[in-house]
Amino acid sequence: MKINSLLAGVALMATSFTGYAQDNTVTIQTKKIGADIQPTMYGVFFEDINFGADGGLYAELVKNRSFEFAPDHFMGWKMFGNVTLQNDGPFDKNPHYVRLGCAGHGDLWTGIQNEGFFGIGLKKNAEYRFSVWARVPDGNPVTLMVQFIDQNTMNDAQQFESRDLVIDSKEWKKYTMVMKSNRTIAKANLRIFLSNPQHRSGTGTVDLEHVSLFPTDTWMGHENGMRKDLAQALYDMRPGVFRFPGGCIVEGTNMETRYQWKHTVGPVENRPLNKNRWESTFIHRYYPDYFQSYGLGFYEYFLLSEELGAAPLPVLNVGMVCQYQNNNNEKAHAACNAEGLKPFIDDALDLIEFANGSTDTKWGKLRAEMGHPAPFNMKYLGIGNEQWDKFYFDRLKFFVEAIRKAHPEILIIGSSGPNSEGKMFDIGWEDMKKQKVDLVDEHFYRNIDWFKKSMNRYDDYDRTGPKVFAGEYACHDQGKKWNHAGASIYEAAFMTTLERNADVVHMATYAPLFAHVEGWQWRPDLIWFDNLNSVKTVSYYVQQMYAKNMGTNVVPATLATPTPQGEDGLFTSAVYDKNTNEYIVKVINTTDKAQTVNIVFDGLKKMQGSAATQTLDCSDYTLENTLENPNAIVPQDGWTTVEGNVIKTTVQGKNFTIFKVKK
């Protein structure tokens, strides 16, 4: 049944030429304050794809810091002289380390050199914290010479920073020192020589484990912290919800590579390595050195959520591996019975305790020991990612029953599968309703034509069933899978159906979030980066404009001439912000031509003399923000006059404009 304008409003106005004048009057029914807009309405979705964690958001600069990559434990390292791999180290989950010994000649050297993630990015005058777990097995002190080097320099010396570090304990011990770079360089290496005090070849023996290098200036100053510019970009979006850790990595290619949150908490030195599911997903974008160190783990995710002001939304494995990669192989998944699923259900219940439990519980105590005695106040929990049909439905039942019994306060999020419509999508929704989950996670990576046909997607949704979490979505054009302006304007237009239907849509997150320009597997993506810089895409600014102008309640906004489904035209939504006493109207023009628009605030006789505006100009269709030109398309602030209760304005072709006016 079509919902009334109080709940939905209408997106309208055809763009094809007709023989009569188009009426582009937008009527805002100011007296009909509608549905509450959830604080979680616009958020971010994080997955470790495109080197988004290690090599990205997680600020560690050393690759394979614990020598656990397999099958090559020296991946990311160059070894020279007398270096051997050992496997009886101090950390049971990361047992490997290297032993450096005398090279056997006074003019030969022993050492190791790390390449980082596509190089090590260093900034001039910035400080970096080098640390290593080390020991001298014979008890005789040795000196390490730790260097920042430019392997390919034409200067006389490769090293441009060098510090000595004395290792003097027979027992394993963490050694730390701060180094300062005297230059900005995107592709430095970290080199460690074994030396004596005279800087000649070393004569002693030293064991090294968990070799680490972090900028001291991380997000919020955390030692095991986030890269500051990337975390700041998330904060600047004003997200209401933060979903983690994925995505397909939750499932894994097989049970051994599924994401297990318990492996990601506790001392960072003893978090076991995991193969990243995206290492080998695409043979045309293959990265054999893509692993998860778990240095960015569930504690760090919860902490980041808190610092962003976003509700944490973890997603856990439902006892299934990736259905795409395993088809209908029942043996690939956990047995669909209470015994087979018990470890997975225990993980879910224990996670709730880790996030919310008191410090006298097992997992609440661990959270406190890690530095956060207060609970994280987790309210949402996703069970399963992008799974479908009876394989998923039958397993989910066990989780719903257990979580409802132990923690009825937790809101459960189920999946409608990988499709945005069709048979599997429909039966997914049917089952989610039967199981009475609280929200259903929908995914749609689609082209522009799909978005054009979906501008009223949520107008007809059942208002009595579970709410919608639009958990992964992005728009691209045929043959143009990158973040160009043309796709972003359709995302902006589509988001009017999210906002108009805020009574049923409670969350929405664009995906994927991050991508390294030298290490991506999937695009488009919201934020791109290299080792030194980052760039916010046009899609990022669309998301930010909605999130920062969310308001508190939907207000009906109707346009006089409808836009037929699948055509270009004007699209609109409006909200009221009771905290600022403002009406906020969003108008998107997807046509190529400027459109004269009259915005009438019905129910008010006179408003303030001007309205603040913010405009995103996407008229240069293929233009994108890049590292070289990060501000090619950014929102522009302005203002326009209000005549009584009417704003008379022009919205240019392929433009997204927000009008904000006091009551």
Side-chain angles (χ1 to χ4, degrees), residues 42-59 225-227 229-235 237 239 241-251 259 264 276 278 290-298 300-302 304-305 308 310-316 385 441 443 445 469-473 508-516 521 525-529:
Y42 305 112
V44 291
F45 157 71
F46 180 87
E47 179 166 12
D48 188 2
I49 186 174
N50 307 318
F51 286 84
D54 293 280
L57 180 62
Y58 185 50
M226 305 300 111
R227 181 169 146 174
D229 63 326
L230 298 184
Q232 184 68 49
L234 299 186
Y235 180 83
M237 284 184 70
V241 66
F242 183 56
R243 174 186 165 194
F244 59 87
C248 292
I249 63 166
V250 171
E251 306 155 9
Y259 196 101
T264 77
N276 194 299
W278 293 106
Y290 200 2
F291 292 82
Q292 296 170 295
S293 72
Y294 283 153
L296 172 51
F298 262 48
E300 288 77 21
Y301 283 128
F302 277 117
L304 181 59
S305 298
L308 295 177
L313 197 172
V315 181
L316 296 183
N385 170 74
D441 186 7
H443 295 178
Y445 299 102
F469 173 30
E472 298 183 32
Y473 69 93
T509 54
Y510 182 103
L513 182 58
F514 288 121
H516 195 297
Q521 297 87 42
D525 304 285
L526 204 63
I527 301 168
W528 288 81
F529 61 91

Side-chain angles (χ1 to χ4, degrees), residues 117-128:
F117 300 91
F118 313 102
I120 295 176
L122 303 173
K123 294 186 177 181
K124 186 175 181 179
N125 296 326
E127 294 184 330
Y128 298 86

Side-chain angles (χ1 to χ4, degrees), residues 24-57:
N24 295 340
T25 300
V26 178
T27 301
I28 311 300
Q29 299 180 42
T30 63
K31 300 302 183 183
K32 295 183 178 180
I33 304 300
D36 291 341
I37 299 171
Q38 298 301 310
T40 56
M41 184 64 172
Y42 305 112
V44 291
F45 157 71
F46 180 87
E47 179 166 12
D48 188 2
I49 186 174
N50 307 318
F51 286 84
D54 293 280
L57 180 62

Side-chain angles (χ1 to χ4, degrees), residues 8-22:
V10 188
L12 305 166
M13 194 207 126
T15 62
S16 55
F17 178 81
T18 62
Y20 57 88
Q22 302 272 336

Side-chain angles (χ1 to χ4, degrees), residues 478-500:
Q478 298 284 5
K480 296 182 177 65
K481 280 199 173 182
W482 67 82
N483 294 93
H484 65 288
S488 300
I489 196 66
Y490 288 99
E491 290 165 356
F494 173 79
M495 290 176 74
T496 61
T497 191
L498 303 178
E499 188 162 88
R500 293 193 317 271

Side-chain angles (χ1 to χ4, degrees), residues 606-624:
K606 188 175 182 180
M607 307 182 74
Q608 287 193 358
S610 64
T613 64
Q614 190 174 53
T615 298
L616 194 67
D617 183 354
C618 299
S619 58
D620 194 338
Y621 190 83
T622 60
L623 187 63
E624 60 180 323

